[in-house]
Amino acid sequence: MSLLCKLVPERCIACGLCQIEAPDIFDYDEEGIVLFAQEPEAHQQFVSENEKEPIQKAYQKCPVRAILLERS
């Protein structure tokens, strides 16, 4: 079963917690809004095995649920 990570930028409050937990995965635009570091234009991407733990931690820490996880 694969894991899909989705971003909801309009919910983001630029708190920085996701980048603390997963700095290789998440980055920010010029306003501090979350985006994927490797694919800034994407709003979703599949999670590789080695990314699962940091992404799940970032998801749990996000106070506004700007990061969503779905099993597919």
Side-chain angles (χ1 to χ4, degrees), residues 14-35:
C15 70
L17 292 173
C18 60
Q19 194 179 37
I20 290 170
E21 294 298 332
D24 295 335
I25 299 158
F26 300 110
D27 200 358
Y28 302 105
D29 68 11
E30 61 280 345
E31 296 173 3
I33 303 303
V34 67
L35 50 81

Side-chain angles (χ1 to χ4, degrees), residues 15-67:
C15 70
L17 292 173
C18 60
Q19 194 179 37
I20 290 170
E21 294 298 332
D24 295 335
I25 299 158
F26 300 110
D27 200 358
Y28 302 105
D29 68 11
E30 61 280 345
E31 296 173 3
I33 303 303
V34 67
L35 50 81
F36 289 114
Q38 302 302 314
E39 295 181 75
E41 299 83 27
H43 288 285
Q44 65 182 23
Q45 69 180 29
F46 284 100
V47 179
S48 68
E49 244 347 275
N50 61 326
E51 295 173 332
K52 279 186 180 179
E53 186 176 335
I55 285 181
Q56 286 176 330
K57 285 183 181 178
Y59 163 77
Q60 291 168 347
K61 298 263 176 145
C62 182
V64 294
R65 291 296 178 240
I67 300 169

